[in-house]
Amino acid sequence: MIKWIDVYKAFGEKKVLDGFTLDVREGEAVAIIGYSGSGKSVALKHVVGLLQPDRGTIEVDDKDVPTLPRRELYELRAHIGYVFQFAALFDSMTIGDNVAMGLRKRGELSEPDIAHRVTEALELVDLPDVQDQYPAELSGGMRKRVGIARAVALRPKYILYDEPTTGLDPVTSAVIDELMIRMRDKLGVTSVVITHDMRSAYRVASRIAMLYEGRVRQVGTVEEIQHTKDPIVRQFIEGRATLDGGDAASPGTSPATAAGGATARGGGRA
Amino acid sequence: MNVIEATGRWVRFRIEEAGRAGQFLEEAALAAGSLRAWLPNATQQMRRLGVDSLPIGLLIAVFTGIVLALLASYSFTGAVPLYFVGTLVEKTITLELAPVLTGLALAGRVGANIAAELGTMRVTEQVDALETLSYDPEAFLVVPRVVAGTIMFPLIVGVAMIVGLGAGWLASLGFLQLSSDEFLKGARLFFGAFDIEYGLVKAASFGFAVTLIGCYKGLRARGGAEGVGNAATQAVVYSAVMILVLDAFWAMTWLHGRT
């Protein structure tokens, strides 16, 4: 189980997380939605200890992540696969070596077993013939699939996806969605998906949480979110420029700003 | 923002930066203990940072040797026996110019290379990816480069000493009508093993500083291509300054007072 408990995080003067609280239960897939720059990726990075909260804490399997000693943090990370927004593949290594990296670090498998696991992981993402290629030779969608293969090869208990479909065409996005569903159903992996692609969130997630102004605005099943009365959440999921569905906000006003005026009316429902 | 506030911010930033650098040093020192994590990468880095830098080191040595021989001859203007050209070339090359000039050239090549590479890895989240795969970035990225720099800088400087001396010798034969016997007589006159030891230790300290600064600046890079560019620039500038500071440090603490 992953728990963010009243997490606060600021970068300089800018508050990013402001009392963020959310639970992800075993076996479920939770999508965290929200505007660009609302702190979704920041929240995710706290789970693997890439960022430390200013206040509050994050628990994974009842372990308090921010206070874990380095060795225990590395042990915990071995159970968590992380799929980065732009895949974050190592440029200087072949795809095969990229996928094998985590397995080699663990040191539990022999080289033939690692090679077998790498082949298996790449087949799972429908990329069986790219082992000897370099990341620069692959398209954006293929790189994201390799990123998923790298996470899956470790057979993790949790997979954290950071905007897995951003910047991809609709067909490739659907392929990535299918992959995430396959990981969840076939491997029983607990997933957290950061996205602002609502179609992807509806397909992949069992629950959806909206992050707004540093905290959870609303969390619920796909159906609950689709039928929400919260104007901020409605505006976001329907992709409207203004709260009332009229013309776009005045020039220079971002959707978040336009929505911000209704915060008090909408109230928090975290 | 008034002057006091601006000064306060600047001081706070500098103190924070010093704290971060100290923490980075501590983490790198701790990571050096896990031999298995960094040893496999160290040999690769020795080739990349060391062997590949050899041509630039040798080029500098050749021209330095030639210029030194001619400069010595010009300065002596008949007042000093010409075989002292060998003395001056040997002393200057081994004690100062081979380590410092090679160090400065490598600060540009190696320091910028490391900062740009690690900076790119940082801004494209490759460093984060390493961490999520349970790799320690200090052990995997920093220690191999610092070890490679500390070992390879003295080797390059050692070869540069030989080549610089050889170039000075050939220039003396070709331009100054000095015989080999005379040049070698001068070169041997005040030669001591200390000269080489001093030059190589200095080079090792330069290698350590340049690679460490390159890693620190690279891993602290933020904000895309501009951030990586800034990191590379800062790495070169700080490395060059540090080489000159270390040069003065060794002169004051080790060379000074020796007879």
Side-chain angles (χ1 to χ4, degrees):
Chain A
M1 189 167 184
I2 300 172
K3 286 183 186 174
W4 288 266
I5 305 166
D6 203 23
V7 176
Y8 289 78
K9 181 72 181 176
F11 295 100
E13 303 291 308
K14 185 176 163 51
K15 277 187 197 170
V16 179
L17 298 180
D18 192 19
F20 180 70
T21 299
L22 182 68
D23 295 348
V24 178
R25 298 185 283 265
E26 303 276 315
E28 71 173 348
V30 171
I32 301 177
I33 59 171
Y35 294 104
S36 299
S38 61
K40 304 184 294 293
S41 299
V42 170
L44 206 62
K45 285 184 175 174
H46 280 85
V47 177
V48 283
L50 290 175
L51 291 173
Q52 295 283 314
D54 297 333
R55 196 142 59 89
T57 194
I58 300 93
E59 288 182 3
V60 178
D61 293 340
D62 298 324
K63 286 181 182 145
D64 189 54
V65 177
T67 59
L68 278 181
R70 186 173 272 218
R71 186 178 289 273
E72 286 181 45
L73 182 62
Y74 286 159
E75 280 168 18
L76 179 72
R77 284 172 177 167
H79 300 290
I80 303 173
Y82 199 115
V83 180
F84 288 85
Q85 187 176 354
F86 299 105
L89 302 180
F90 307 114
D91 310 320
S92 56
M93 294 182 189
T94 63
I95 297 302
D97 284 336
N98 261 283
V99 178
M101 276 286 280
L103 297 168
R104 291 202 175 111
K105 177 63 186 171
R106 277 194 190 176
E108 293 166 356
L109 300 176
S110 63
E111 271 303 316
D113 289 341
I114 289 175
H116 177 72
R117 186 77 77 82
V118 169
T119 307
E120 193 180 77
L122 286 170
E123 278 172 1
L124 202 66
V125 297
D126 298 324
L127 289 172
D129 303 318
V130 298
Q131 279 208 38
D132 297 326
Q133 294 185 40
Y134 283 86
E137 297 173 87
L138 304 185
S139 69
M142 288 164 90
R143 281 203 289 270
K144 288 207 177 185
R145 280 147 72 188
V146 174
I148 294 174
R150 185 170 67 183
V152 168
L154 298 167
R155 299 206 175 139
K157 189 173 172 189
Y158 304 101
I159 299 189
L160 313 177
Y161 299 91
D162 190 354
E163 304 203 17
T165 58
T166 299
L168 299 179
D169 64 80
V171 175
T172 311
S173 295
V175 170
I176 300 282
D177 287 347
E178 284 302 323
L179 270 174
M180 289 191 281
I181 293 166
R182 209 186 298 172
M183 299 307 139
R184 186 192 65 196
D185 296 344
K186 207 169 166 184
L187 305 178
V189 180
T190 304
S191 317
V192 181
V193 186
I194 298 291
T195 186
H196 34 59
D197 175 354
M198 287 316 300
R199 200 167 57 170
S200 175
Y202 293 149
R203 291 183 66 177
V204 172
S206 43
R207 281 194 306 145
I208 296 175
M210 180 165 177
L211 176 57
Y212 184 73
E213 293 189 339
R215 58 181 64 197
V216 173
R217 176 79 183 192
Q218 185 179 358
V219 58
T221 61
V222 170
E223 197 163 298
E224 282 166 352
I225 292 292
Q226 282 173 329
H227 297 100
T228 181
K229 297 271 191 292
D230 186 312
I232 303 289
V233 181
R234 280 228 73 78
Q235 183 197 13
F236 184 85
I237 64 174
E238 290 172 4
R240 285 188 277 106
T242 59
L243 276 176
D244 56 12
D247 291 338
S250 58
T253 309
S254 69
T257 313
T263 310
R265 291 198 303 273
R269 271 203 238 173
Chain B
M1 190 190 303
N2 62 34
V3 177
I4 295 170
E5 193 181 342
T7 310
R9 276 175 191 272
W10 185 85
V11 170
R12 195 178 78 174
F13 175 77
R14 290 293 154 197
I15 291 171
E16 283 173 357
E17 186 72 7
R20 279 192 289 265
Q23 189 183 1
F24 174 77
L25 257 176
E26 185 200 348
E27 285 173 359
L30 288 173
S34 47
L35 205 69
R36 254 184 34 189
W38 60 261
L39 200 56
N41 281 350
T43 47
Q44 187 201 2
Q45 291 303 327
M46 282 183 193
R47 184 185 58 72
R48 283 188 58 207
L49 304 182
V51 179
D52 294 354
S53 301
L54 205 53
I56 184 74
L58 299 190
L59 195 72
I60 289 169
V62 167
F63 290 108
T64 308
I66 294 170
V67 170
L68 265 181
L70 300 180
L71 201 68
S73 153
Y74 169 75
S75 305
F76 294 164
T77 56
V80 179
L82 205 55
Y83 63 83
F84 273 105
V85 167
T87 311
L88 189 129
V89 170
E90 181 274 315
K91 284 286 178 195
T92 319
I93 288 270
T94 51
L95 288 172
E96 185 66 15
L97 291 186
V100 172
L101 288 186
T102 309
L104 287 172
L106 295 189
R109 188 189 179 280
V110 172
N113 178 297
I114 292 176
E117 185 184 11
L118 298 194
T120 304
M121 288 184 74
R122 168 59 80 195
V123 301
T124 56
E125 295 186 313
Q126 290 177 52
V127 176
D128 288 345
L130 269 180
E131 291 207 53
T132 61
L133 294 171
S134 302
Y135 283 84
D136 177 356
E138 273 77 25
F140 193 74
L141 299 173
V142 177
V143 179
R145 284 166 174 79
V146 175
V147 168
T150 311
I151 292 173
M152 295 309 287
F153 269 45
L155 287 180
I156 296 170
V157 167
V159 178
M161 285 175 181
I162 295 166
V163 171
L165 205 58
W169 184 358
L170 289 177
S172 302
L173 297 183
F175 296 111
L176 308 178
Q177 283 75 50
L178 201 66
S179 71
S180 286
D181 286 345
E182 284 176 306
F183 182 86
L184 290 175
K185 180 184 165 189
R188 287 199 199 105
L189 201 58
F190 297 109
F191 174 76
F194 169 77
D195 297 357
I196 294 175
E197 185 191 349
Y198 179 78
L200 296 184
V201 169
K202 248 182 10 176
S205 69
F206 296 164
F208 179 81
V210 167
T211 46
L212 199 67
I213 290 170
C215 290
Y216 177 70
K217 287 292 166 190
L219 289 178
R220 300 262 319 137
R222 296 286 181 277
E226 191 186 351
V228 175
N230 287 339
T233 307
Q234 286 178 6
V236 174
V237 172
Y238 288 173
S239 296
V241 171
M242 188 50 81
I243 283 175
L244 299 178
V245 170
L246 283 170
D247 191 33
F249 169 79
W250 288 121
M252 288 186 290
T253 58
W254 199 9
L255 195 63
H256 179 64
R258 275 187 79 93
T259 53

